[in-house]
């Protein structure tokens, strides 16, 4: 099995931690997101240990990976900060009582009202992503007689080997200020004129699902050269250097892995050497892992509604979920490991394509995966590694309701997000008067 928190009972049923997946489906129905809380805590602990290699470092969980209230509460319990990218995530973080100084607010297109909400709530740091933002922050902060801490988001022009939709560090990209362009100088000059901005350093994030040590080392190198140049040109002493997230995790046995401890050891010695050589004070390092904190904690359970065998083509399995709860195949052709949770002892040796319930041919969860030969209606499928970017990307296309999220903890479990009801779908709809 791909993960150590998944087991098989003598009857061939899938367990997550010490909880039966089939018991959960009986109690809550499907589709159902199930996450192992202890696995999330374990992932956080791994990062906590790995960052001790830096003299001064902080973890910010990239909440876009999975952003319901309980997840923010867990971050508070584990005493880690969060990166938020919208007013909704910021609101949820505040509701979870995350200390505001541990909230970093991102976004390439923030509105005046959103910035005002963030500043009113004393958000720890705003990561500036556009020139206009500098002016808005200055205006709002001076109105509130407040000094707002900020970082500037830099695109270091690095092209990691990952899928195009999640590359964020290349020159031609909607995020940040590209290294080597005049826009950076304009931004710095504007910031230096802004007396209500406490400018502490730089942020970069090169992409997501990255396995190359090299890509991070190159990024660190480019960013350190940049820090040096900023010190020489603008007398900026970088107090914080945020190197983003993106650390890859395996979804199938063919995927690679990246050892965070090894990576951080390499980056820490690179940082130390550079700063020593160039007499630069070592900045505090921030990291923003999202996927790697939650992905392997989660599975999604579906019920099979039917199986269709098309001679000389494919065998389709129709399930009761789809791109509404997991749009990642439709968007990125993402691969998953999928098992039949009630037939774990049977050989998974027949090829199927898993079709979602939406009225759209592209709504698949996986193409050509191996499952037992005798799949039938009411069997339960478990899609593994769905803890990240599944719940948070779920939607109501075709007016399907979003599934519940259950957290298991050993043999106990609790609901952390209720299943949406049909009435929830109508909550904001207006009944117009009949003519
Ligand atoms: N920091 C910033 C500024 C980011 O934009 C992201 C992800 C992260 C941190 C966290 O990256 P992670 O550690 O999760 O790879 N929806 C896509 C992933 C989009 C990632 C966007 N930014 C997917 O389902 O694969």
């Amino acid at each position: 099995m791909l993960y150590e928190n998944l087991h098989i009972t003598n009857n061939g049923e899938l367990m997550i931690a010490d909880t039966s997946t089939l018991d959960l489906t009986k109690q809550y129905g499907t589709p159902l997101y199930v996450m192992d809380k202890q696995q999330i805590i374990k992932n956080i602990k791994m990062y906590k240990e790995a960052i001790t290699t830096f003299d001064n470092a902080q973890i910010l969980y990239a909440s876009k990976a999975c952003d319901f209230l309980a997840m923010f509460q867990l971050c508070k319990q584990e005493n880690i900060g969060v990166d938020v990218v919208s007013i909704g995530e910021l609101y949820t973080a505040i509701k979870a009582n995350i200390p505001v100084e541990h909230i970093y607010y991102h976004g390439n297109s923030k509105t005046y009202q959103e910035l005002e909400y963030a500043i009113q709530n004393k958000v720890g740091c705003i990561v500036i992503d556009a020139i206009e933002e500098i002016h808005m922050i200055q205006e709002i902060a001076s109105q509130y007689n407040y000094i707002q801490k900020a970082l500037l988001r830099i695109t270091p022009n690095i092209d990691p080997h990952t899928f195009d939709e999640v590359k964020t560090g290349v020159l031609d990209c909607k995020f940040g200020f590209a290294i080597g362009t005049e826009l950076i100088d304009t931004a710095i000059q504007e910031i230096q004129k802004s007396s209500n901005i406490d400018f502490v350093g730089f942020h970069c994030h090169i992409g997501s699902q990255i396995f190359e040590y090299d890509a991070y080392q190159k990024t660190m190198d480019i960013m350190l050269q940049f820090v040096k140049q900023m010190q020489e040109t603008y007398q900026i002493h970088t107090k914080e250097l945020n190197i983003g997230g993106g650390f890859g995790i395996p979804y199938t046995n063919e995927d690679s892995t990246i050892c965070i401890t090894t990576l951080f050891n390499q980056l820490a010695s690179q940082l130390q050497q550079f700063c020593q050589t160039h007499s630069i004070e070592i900045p505090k390092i921030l990291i923003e892992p999202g996927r790697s904190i939650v992905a392997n904690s989660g599975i999604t359970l579906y019920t099979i509604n039917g199986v269709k065998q098309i001679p000389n083509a494919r065998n389709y399995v129709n399930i009761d979920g789809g791109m509404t709860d997991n749009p990642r195949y439709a968007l990125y052709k993402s691969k998953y490991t999928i098992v039949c949770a009630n037939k774990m002892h049977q050989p998974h040796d027949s090829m199927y394509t898993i079709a979602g319930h939406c009225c759209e041919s592209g709504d698949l969860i996986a193409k050509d995966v191996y499952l037992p030969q005798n799949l039938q209606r009411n069997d339960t499928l478990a899609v593994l590694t769905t803890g990240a970017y599944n719940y948070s990307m779920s939607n109501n296309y075709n007016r399907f309701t979003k599934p519940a999220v259950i957290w298991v903890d050993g043999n106990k479990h609790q609901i952390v997000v209720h299943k949406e009801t049909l009435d929830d779908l109508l909550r904001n709809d207006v009944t117009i008067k009949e003519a």
Side-chain angles (χ1 to χ4, degrees):
M1 191 69 74
L2 197 59
Y3 297 110
E4 55 196 47
N5 61 339
L6 299 178
H7 310 281
I8 302 171
T9 63
N10 292 338
N11 302 336
E13 295 177 6
L14 180 70
M15 306 278 288
I16 176 164
D18 298 318
T19 303
S20 156
T21 55
L22 301 182
D23 286 352
L24 291 176
T25 62
K26 273 182 211 122
Q27 194 171 342
Y28 299 101
T30 53
L32 189 65
Y33 297 119
V34 183
M35 294 173 78
D36 176 2
K37 185 178 170 189
Q38 290 305 327
Q39 184 64 47
I40 306 174
I41 294 175
K42 207 164 147 185
N43 295 339
I44 294 174
K45 289 223 157 81
M46 182 279 290
Y47 274 105
K48 278 184 176 167
E49 271 166 38
I51 61 160
T52 57
T53 186
F54 297 106
D55 291 346
N56 186 9
Q58 187 181 358
I59 303 166
L60 304 172
Y61 164 63
S63 59
K64 74 206 77 177
C66 182
D67 49 9
F68 46 75
L69 188 62
M71 193 55 218
F72 285 97
Q73 289 182 293
L74 187 62
C75 292
K76 171 160 191 274
Q77 178 199 304
E78 291 300 308
N79 197 20
I80 59 171
V82 292
D83 127 16
V84 298
V85 287
S86 70
I87 213 70
E89 286 182 352
L90 176 55
Y91 178 74
T92 316
I94 290 170
K95 286 283 173 198
N97 292 324
I98 302 240
V100 278
E101 64 274 18
H102 292 164
I103 305 177
Y104 280 58
Y105 179 29
H106 282 280
N108 65 302
S109 186
K110 307 179 186 88
T111 66
Y112 188 93
Q113 288 73 19
E114 287 165 344
L115 286 167
E116 187 168 31
Y117 178 80
I119 292 168
Q120 270 175 342
N121 283 285
K122 299 191 164 42
V123 70
C125 186
I126 297 178
V127 184
I128 297 172
D129 210 311
I131 290 283
E132 296 82 349
E133 236 181 90
I134 303 170
H135 303 145
M136 290 192 280
I137 296 172
Q138 171 56 29
E139 191 180 317
I140 300 163
S142 74
Q143 247 175 50
Y144 285 88
N145 206 8
Y146 187 69
I147 309 282
Q148 177 61 54
K149 179 172 142 180
L151 291 175
L152 188 69
R153 180 163 180 167
I154 301 297
T155 33
N157 200 9
I158 288 279
D159 191 354
H161 292 109
T162 185
F163 46 108
D164 283 346
E165 292 84 350
V166 296
K167 285 180 183 173
T168 51
V170 291
L171 180 85
D172 184 0
C173 160
K174 72 171 186 172
F175 295 105
F177 296 82
I179 275 190
T181 62
E182 271 176 28
L183 213 54
I184 291 192
D185 297 281
T186 313
I188 297 289
Q189 284 154 12
E190 292 299 310
I191 288 170
Q192 290 192 324
K193 278 194 270 173
S194 307
S195 51
N196 292 75
I197 295 181
D198 173 24
F199 183 62
V200 293
F202 301 97
H203 168 276
C204 65
H205 170 78
I206 54 173
S208 195
Q209 190 58 350
I210 296 165
F211 296 101
E212 300 154 44
Y213 296 88
D214 200 37
Y216 285 105
Q217 285 167 334
K218 275 197 200 133
T219 305
M220 181 60 101
D221 191 44
I222 290 172
M223 290 306 290
L224 289 173
Q225 295 288 353
F226 178 74
V227 162
K228 175 171 167 277
Q229 188 200 333
M230 288 296 112
Q231 183 161 322
E232 288 164 0
T233 318
Y234 293 107
Q235 290 74 53
I236 289 172
H237 296 281
T238 302
K239 292 190 206 132
E240 291 191 9
L241 182 60
N242 186 328
I243 58 171
F247 315 107
I249 56 108
Y251 283 86
T252 69
N253 285 329
E254 280 133 49
D255 282 341
S256 204
T257 54
I258 183 163
C259 172
I260 299 299
T261 309
T262 309
L263 175 68
F264 287 3
N265 284 342
Q266 289 172 352
L267 296 179
S269 63
Q270 206 181 331
L271 174 70
Q272 204 154 33
Q273 250 174 31
F274 187 94
C275 291
Q276 215 160 36
T277 314
H278 299 282
S279 306
I280 289 173
E281 213 173 298
I282 298 181
K284 175 177 177 178
I285 295 294
L286 294 121
I287 54 153
E288 294 173 339
R291 187 192 311 270
S292 48
I293 299 272
V294 281
N296 69 353
S297 76
I299 62 176
T300 309
L301 300 171
Y302 299 100
T303 301
I304 293 181
N305 285 330
V307 181
K308 177 170 80 168
Q309 289 168 350
I310 310 176
N312 306 319
R314 288 199 160 75
N315 297 335
Y316 283 92
V317 176
N318 290 325
I319 57 167
D320 58 355
M323 64 194 290
T324 41
D325 46 81
N326 183 357
R328 298 191 68 255
Y329 180 85
L331 283 171
Y332 323 118
K333 301 280 173 286
S334 303
K335 291 211 161 82
Y336 283 99
T337 302
I338 303 181
V339 295
C340 182
N342 57 313
K343 290 181 175 165
M344 293 300 290
H345 281 334
Q346 295 189 19
H348 284 45
D349 56 3
S350 298
M351 199 187 266
Y352 293 93
T353 285
I354 315 300
H357 54 181
C358 288
C359 208
E360 183 150 329
S361 302
D363 174 23
L364 304 177
I365 292 292
K367 210 170 193 177
D368 299 341
V369 289
Y370 288 97
L371 288 161
Q373 201 188 358
N374 60 345
L375 277 192
Q376 59 193 23
R377 186 164 84 87
N378 290 333
D379 280 341
T380 304
L381 289 191
V383 180
L384 310 189
T385 334
T386 56
Y389 301 114
N390 274 231
Y391 165 79
S392 61
M393 294 176 79
S394 63
N395 59 81
N396 293 116
Y397 183 45
N398 290 171
R399 287 240 143 176
F400 282 109
T401 52
K402 294 183 190 174
V405 187
I406 306 292
W407 269 8
V408 304
D409 188 348
N411 62 5
K412 299 195 183 67
H413 70 266
Q414 67 184 123
I415 290 198
V416 287
V417 181
H418 286 291
K419 177 180 162 53
E420 270 183 343
T421 63
L422 291 174
D423 281 336
D424 288 334
L425 293 175
L426 286 179
R427 199 175 41 212
N428 296 318
D429 288 11
V430 174
T431 311
I432 55 162
K433 283 209 175 96
E434 284 175 42

